[in-house]
Amino acid sequence: MVERYSSNRSNGEGLSVERLREDFPILRQQVHGRPLVYLDNAATTQKPQAVIDALIRYYTEDNANIHRGVHALSVRATRLYESARRTISAFLGACEPEEIVFVRGATEGVNLVAQSWARPRLARGDEILITGMEHHSNIVPWQIICRQTGAVLRVAPIDDHGALVVDEYERMLSPRTKVVALAHVSNALGTINPVQSLIRSAHSFGAVVLVDGAQAVPHQAVDVAGLDCDFYVFSSHKVYGPTGVGALYGRRSLLEQMEPYQGGGEMIRSVTFEETTYNDIPYRFEAGTPNISGAIGLGAAIEYLKAVGMDWIAAHETDLLAYATESLKRIEPLRIIGTAPDKAAVISFVLPRIHAHDVGTVLDRAGVAVRTGHHCAQPIMDRFGVPATTRASFALYNTRADVDALVAGLEEVLKVFG
């Protein structure tokens, strides 16, 4: 349980990955007769017992709709839901809980900002600047906005290592740039962008900045006030929480200017057939019955991460990344795609003449779960001239033994297809 780690939160003293693995029941199973080695964490992470317990407890003891009921269950459910909002707000360093909007995930967060902030304010000739390492979720919503407003989508390039070409990014900024939307960490390459300086540059031209933090929040401490970003989005299921929920941080002054792009119950103050007035933030953006259990589970996941300590997680994953990188470099003719100097614990690679799906299939038979394909980042695949990669991505419960199992599995792949 989380509590047993609380006293060690500041520096991770007394923690071991072996003890943490005990919190994840799914890791105890075998796959194809082999111990499960789960290395698909960039797609979704496994859930600690504390999160599973929070979901069970909500449905067993507190299940009710929120905000409107006067009975005990509704009051308790509302308290839990809003407590989760406060937990997330503090975790991200937001100024107040009202700056946290519950959404279905990072994708919905981007779409909300695109439709509620950008669409009413952009006009023909305005520019939206993204980077060449974006996930589809941070490309397609802006393409839609460009079609709706006449704005132009521009893309800052990445180099052969998968790092953003910062000089070119700076050169592309201008008074025409109204929105900058960029990944904190690339899901396909692991590249960590220097978002604080990139945001500062964008603000110097008056642009509003949205950061896609889906791949950053699980790996490192995030401080939205310190970054000075305007919007920040992430998904619960990538930070050890339930699927179908996530959070959008928005600066209060911006959220209060925005009208909702979805209407329904709960997001209103009053409704007549002639007119509707909207609720205060963040409720005006949470139309209909929200994912109550998901928000509560996300709150439990954040409490779990706090108890383990983000410093401990970052140090552990940095060690794993270095060990895995050196181990994979020794496999001929494997080629790592994405070698930026500052990376999160994600490694994409290709084996010549062996399709990534075949690699993944053989690894699966060895009990090793990896992701294969374009990772919803087809422009990155095009940039490196490959149709797909195999991606191993690490989490706080992974070990060096997991890396060794991956290497052994890849040696088996080479025997099968060599």
Side-chain angles (χ1 to χ4, degrees), residues 255-327:
L255 290 177
E256 288 184 333
Q257 296 171 20
M258 294 160 51
E259 294 210 353
Y261 82 110
Q262 295 182 83
E266 293 289 336
M267 49 76 71
I268 55 87
R269 179 166 291 149
S270 68
V271 174
T272 67
F273 285 117
E274 290 74 31
E275 186 180 19
T276 294
T277 56
Y278 302 130
N279 206 339
D280 295 330
I281 64 166
Y283 309 109
R284 70 173 63 171
F285 301 111
E286 297 179 358
T289 298
N291 185 347
I292 303 167
S293 63
I296 293 168
L298 172 56
I302 296 299
E303 291 290 357
Y304 183 86
L305 287 177
K306 289 166 56 182
V308 174
M310 295 309 297
D311 289 345
W312 187 94
I313 293 170
H316 173 66
E317 293 183 353
T318 297
D319 174 75
L320 277 181
L321 176 64
Y323 183 69
T325 301
E326 290 306 311
S327 299

Side-chain angles (χ1 to χ4, degrees), residues 165-188:
V165 182
V166 175
D167 289 347
E168 189 65 14
Y169 165 85
E170 305 272 1
R171 193 190 66 76
M172 296 175 76
L173 289 168
S174 78
R176 293 188 301 276
T177 310
K178 303 304 180 186
V179 178
V180 171
L182 48 85
H184 198 162
V185 174
S186 162
N187 74 309

